[in-house]
Amino acid sequence: MLNIQNLSKTYANGVQALKSVNLNIPKGMFGLLGPNGAGKSSLMRTLATLQEADSGSAQLDEIDVLKDKDAVRRVLGYLPQDFGVYPKVSAEDLLDHFAALKGFVQSGERKQVVEALLNQVNLWAVRKQKLGGFSGGMRQRFGIAQALIGSPRLVIVDEPTAGLDPEERNRFLNLLGEIGEQVVVILSTHIVEDVTDLCPQMAIINQGEVLLSGEPLEAIRSVEGRVWRKTVAKDQLDVLRAQMKVLSTRLVGGRPVVHVMADSNPGEGFEPISAGLEDVYFGELSRHRAKAA
Ligand code: ADP
């Protein structure tokens, strides 16, 4: 269990990336959802001991995350947002190298660890190939393999599905879903479906603030009955936005379909729909923006 209290961080340029963040993150998959610039990477890097917080605390079971960095690193698996690979090295060789860095000094044992991980992420068949020739999805699966070396208790993956095509993304998420339930896995993402598909617990973060945390299904239940949909003409959009709380607009067959949050039917032509996590997400973001304005 990871307990984060009043965690704050302001960069030298004055950007307040984390504003007194409080989160209780249980074992299992936890989705940290927020738009670009929300502070997700700042939080991930702090938990991964790569940068200092200004104040607050983070406790992973008995480990004081902010103070006892060595202890964190022994139990941490981290896939950073900008995970680079050496293009001219094979998957097997680089994983072997990472395993040696993680403390697997005995070559026999290391070989077993590397073999098991390559199989787990389905890269065994291409283990001799150079990483430079890997697709985005293969590279991310390699990234997960290196994060899982040494059976970590805390796994942090920062925006891992950005840029993957749907099939690769699916494959990657399935792989994440297979990580044991005794591990804290934090998945940071700006893609709502990543969380819907995979995470029994989540938080929404924007401008360094946690807007909501808990179970996605409960969050969806809280807006149930208040989400309405209508297909509209393009030139009606501005009027609608001025009149009601428009959550999202999406083109379907070239025509805008709007989702609106309202306690009762907001107008002619609207139909009630069953809410999704995306409605919760956009609702929270728009509430937060309205508050800040
Ligand atoms: P996210 O991962 O959600 O996109 P980040 O944590 O990367 O968000 O960024 C949060 C805010 O902090 C943004 O406004 C970003 O520009 C700023 N920021 C991130 N890293 C730095 C840094 N090293 N120095 C200054 N500002 C930064």
Side-chain angles (χ1 to χ4, degrees), residues 32-36 38 40 189-192 202-206 211-212 219-220 223 247 261 276-289:
L32 184 71
L33 180 62
N36 286 330
K40 301 182 299 296
T189 182
H190 63 268
I191 302 170
V192 179
M202 63 164 298
I204 296 175
I205 177 173
N206 190 36
L211 308 186
L212 175 156
I220 292 169
V223 298
L247 296 172
M261 179 97 76
L277 191 59
E278 203 172 73
D279 298 311
V280 173
Y281 178 56
F282 288 127
E284 286 297 321
L285 289 185
S286 88
R287 204 163 61 153
H288 188 234
R289 283 193 197 109

Side-chain angles (χ1 to χ4, degrees), residues 16 37 91 107 160 185-186 188 191 198 206 215 232 254 277:
Q16 211 182 339
S107 72
V185 183
I186 308 178
S188 110
I191 302 170
L198 211 58
N206 190 36
E215 295 177 21
V232 299
L277 191 59

Side-chain angles (χ1 to χ4, degrees), residues 13 18 20 32 37 56 72 92 95 103-105 117 130 137 141 158 168 175 181 183 187 225 233 281 284 289:
N13 61 1
L18 300 173
S20 199
L32 184 71
V72 177
E92 185 174 37
L95 202 56
F104 288 91
V105 287
L117 284 170
K130 293 196 169 74
R141 279 188 277 135
D158 197 356
E168 283 179 332
L175 188 59
E181 284 175 356
V183 180
L187 163 70
Y281 178 56
E284 286 297 321
R289 283 193 197 109

Side-chain angles (χ1 to χ4, degrees), residues 154-284:
L154 171 63
V155 174
I156 293 175
V157 287
D158 197 356
E159 301 252 6
T161 61
L164 297 189
D165 69 35
E167 196 185 341
E168 283 179 332
R169 178 180 156 272
N170 217 353
R171 204 161 173 187
F172 184 85
L173 291 179
N174 283 336
L175 188 59
L176 271 190
E178 283 165 16
I179 299 177
E181 284 175 356
Q182 291 313 305
V183 180
V184 175
V185 183
I186 308 178
L187 163 70
S188 110
T189 182
H190 63 268
I191 302 170
V192 179
E193 291 84 20
D194 286 356
V195 177
T196 317
D197 295 354
L198 211 58
C199 303
Q201 293 280 332
M202 63 164 298
I204 296 175
I205 177 173
N206 190 36
Q207 295 179 344
E209 285 181 56
V210 175
L211 308 186
L212 175 156
S213 68
E215 295 177 21
L217 289 178
E218 202 161 295
I220 292 169
R221 229 174 283 134
S222 74
V223 298
E224 204 60 84
R226 293 194 289 138
V227 182
W228 306 79
R229 178 177 63 193
K230 185 182 178 182
T231 304
V232 299
K234 280 177 189 154
D235 58 9
Q236 284 182 305
L237 276 175
D238 285 343
V239 178
L240 277 185
R241 283 205 186 94
Q243 284 175 347
M244 45 189 83
K245 189 168 167 186
V246 174
L247 296 172
S248 60
T249 308
R250 173 170 294 153
L251 291 178
V252 177
R255 296 182 67 194
V257 173
V258 293
H259 284 196
V260 163
M261 179 97 76
D263 289 337
S264 57
N265 193 336
E268 209 189 307
F270 278 94
E271 56 175 343
I273 55 166
S274 87
L277 191 59
E278 203 172 73
D279 298 311
V280 173
Y281 178 56
F282 288 127
E284 286 297 321

